[in-house]
Amino acid sequence: MNEENSYLVMENSLVSNLRPVQPNPDFIKNLGKRLLGSNNISIEGRNNGLAFVLISLGLFVGALLVWLFRKH
Amino acid sequence: MGFNPIPPLKGFTLSEQLDDIQLIEDAGNGDNEAFGILYERYVRKIYNYIYYRTGNINEAEDLTAKVFHRAFRHIESYNQRGVPFSAWLYRIAHNLVANWYRDRSRKKEVSLDDQLPSSFHFDFPESSIEKSQESEKMMKAIRRLPPERQQLIILKFVEGLSNSEIGLIMRKSEGAIKSLYHRTLETLRKEIEKIDQPKKVK
């Protein structure tokens, strides 16, 4: 019974001490602007594809140059 | 061909989930306005969670921004089955806070325990010195708990979530949360006693 009582006191204390705080409205507004003003989500995926194509192209050109040097 | 309704996740209303699901789908298709609504809906909750975990306004703002940038970038990979959107955000926040603690311990900066009284500010209309001392003591005791237990206390008392909602965020059953909660209260009581003890010796 005593233990239950001490839990109850603790819970009441937690309720009164842990109150939600209000963030700075400017922070909320600015973060929203930054987020929604940033680029679209699908761009990351497109960049990966582009990187793959560029690397492949680089390897192909490199191999072609090596082959041409050896030939001469 | 019968209609197969989506069963609501325990602790979350069906309309809230359906609303989120549609918005997430739209946001995933590049609709920034849809993401904006989700942002408005959850940013204060995530901020509060991080603020109480770190005890610092600047860190709370910085980490809240990181949570939403990460959510924005990866919204396409979010899978609503089993985990509500809010739980997904809390998990991102939890991971970022854990990384923040790890970085801090590496840098060996001033301990959070020492920093707390000046970092936390409580706005009680009936404010009194006694009341703010009680708050500081309580926050100091919470800060001494393992991260998982701090998370539980904050989700329960600051965010006002039920055990089943907390269970979804922490990947535990409702029963496990209930049992962890009782153990947490017990530990918290002991920590408060420890804080009180040096004063009594004097």
Side-chain angles (χ1 to χ4, degrees), chain B residues 17-54:
Chain B
Q17 281 174 60
L18 284 175
D19 239 10
D20 276 5
I21 289 166
Q22 187 56 55
L23 289 167
I24 291 157
E25 203 181 309
D26 292 346
N29 291 327
D31 182 351
N32 283 2
E33 209 173 299
F35 191 84
I37 297 169
L38 289 167
Y39 167 77
E40 269 299 323
R41 193 172 285 178
Y42 296 111
V43 66
R44 285 162 193 85
K45 291 180 180 191
I46 297 299
Y47 175 90
N48 262 279
Y49 173 73
I50 297 173
Y51 172 71
Y52 273 97
R53 287 295 311 275
T54 60

Side-chain angles (χ1 to χ4, degrees), chain A residues 8-18, chain B residues 134 138 192:
Chain A
L8 207 67
V9 170
M10 186 99 65
E11 280 184 325
N12 286 336
S13 176
L14 283 164
V15 168
S16 66
N17 287 316
L18 297 181
Chain B
E134 192 200 317
M138 178 59 82
I192 289 171

